[in-house]
Amino acid sequence: QVQLVESGGGLVQAGGSLRLSCAASGLTFSRYVMGWFRQTPGKERDLVAAINWSGGSRDYADSVKGRFTISRDNAKNTVYLQMNSLKPEDTAVYYCAATQAPTVPSTTRRYNHWGQGTQVTVSS
């Protein structure tokens, strides 16, 4: 069965950095588009960043452009989210997701595999 396991979340002060990792198993990782989403209570789960199979195409939410970087290592079946210059509004549960879509979708409904989430808390 497919399993996505996020790690690297935690508490950090505003302006700090965190690196999230998502280890995938049970799938042919290089064939999947990978995405990071985040969700806060009372709000929908929204795209943070996504990356295609080769890593040559990326998509970011406007709110994180210039601060976050998504990358992948197909040899390690792992996708990363480097988060710099963190702001309190970045506080959320971050989810790793996977899809075999031919493009890089930005909506949750297009992703069919999900991790359990990891909490990121940014203090003022």
Side-chain angles (χ1 to χ4, degrees):
Q1 61 182 12
V2 174
Q3 186 176 31
L4 304 177
V5 180
E6 302 98 333
S7 62
L11 175 65
V12 64
Q13 291 188 352
S17 298
L18 285 173
R19 189 195 195 199
L20 305 183
S21 298
C22 173
S25 62
L27 51 73
T28 303
F29 184 77
S30 62
R31 296 181 181 178
Y32 281 77
V33 171
M34 302 298 298
W36 287 98
F37 291 75
R38 66 187 181 187
Q39 186 172 25
T40 56
K43 294 188 176 183
E44 68 181 41
R45 191 173 299 181
D46 290 326
L47 174 77
V48 177
I51 187 169
N52 75 336
W53 306 278
S54 68
S57 181
R58 297 173 174 84
D59 190 28
Y60 294 95
D62 288 342
S63 60
V64 306
K65 287 181 179 178
R67 299 188 298 119
F68 291 9
T69 302
I70 188 171
S71 62
R72 67 190 297 160
D73 188 336
N74 288 346
K76 296 181 179 179
N77 285 9
T78 302
V79 62
Y80 306 94
L81 185 68
Q82 179 66 47
M83 304 185 293
N84 298 326
S85 301
L86 283 162
K87 304 175 181 179
E89 50 263 45
D90 294 318
T91 296
V93 177
Y94 284 70
Y95 297 89
C96 177
T99 179
Q100 289 187 297
T103 57
V104 184
S106 60
T107 57
T108 58
R109 62 186 294 273
R110 297 292 302 281
Y111 291 80
N112 55 336
H113 301 293
W114 292 87
Q116 82 288 350
T118 185
Q119 177 70 46
V120 172
T121 302
V122 184
S123 62
S124 301

